[in-house]
Amino acid sequence: MRTIRVETSAATILLTEAPEPKVRDRQTGEIAKDAVSGEALMTLGVVYIEEGESSLIKVTVPEGGASEGLNLGAPVSLPGLVARPWESVFNGQQRHGIAYRAAAVTPAAFPAAMGATA
């Protein structure tokens, strides 16, 4: 499937769920690993706000890309954010969605108020 780059420069991204290990197999508790580097993967929740609309999304980052000092509700940066459409059949049901992945998650600053005058 194609990977689509997500432009985040005009968005406000707030952390809603702290990074935690991404579980590959819930029955065994096996942690997901990057197919190329072998590094453990983490998932986190964010609210992505742009042009007055918001979406709650889950993002996967490599374990080494999860910065210290992340606070719930605080703005974060997701360098290298990409979206990848996916589909599968689970228990005979067709499922589909979008998986998000970033190179890292780091603390960011709140953007200046849009349309503010000096």
Side-chain angles (χ1 to χ4, degrees), residues 53-77:
E53 295 188 21
S54 64
S55 299
L56 289 169
I57 62 173
K58 292 275 192 179
V59 180
T60 299
V61 298
E63 185 174 33
S67 296
E68 296 291 325
L70 298 172
N71 296 309
L72 292 180
V76 293
S77 175

Side-chain angles (χ1 to χ4, degrees), residues 2-111:
R2 180 179 163 100
T3 299
I4 303 161
R5 290 184 189 157
V6 179
E7 175 57 49
T8 61
S9 63
T12 298
I13 305 169
L14 305 175
L15 186 66
T16 59
E17 295 177 33
E20 54 187 47
K22 181 175 184 174
V23 178
R24 180 172 188 248
D25 185 331
R26 292 182 187 181
Q27 291 181 338
T28 66
E30 179 185 0
I31 302 302
K33 302 212 183 273
D34 182 89
V36 176
S37 71
E39 186 174 7
L41 298 173
M42 308 289 281
T43 58
L44 55 117
V46 299
V47 62
Y48 184 96
I49 306 165
E50 186 175 23
E51 295 182 3
E53 295 188 21
S54 64
S55 299
L56 289 169
I57 62 173
K58 292 275 192 179
V59 180
T60 299
V61 298
E63 185 174 33
S67 296
E68 296 291 325
L70 298 172
N71 296 309
L72 292 180
V76 293
S77 175
L78 296 169
L81 182 63
V82 295
R84 179 176 298 161
W86 62 268
E87 59 183 54
S88 67
V89 177
F90 182 74
N91 288 337
Q93 296 287 328
Q94 180 93 14
R95 299 180 65 191
H96 62 277
I98 300 173
Y100 294 91
R101 180 135 180 202
V105 56
T106 60
F110 279 106

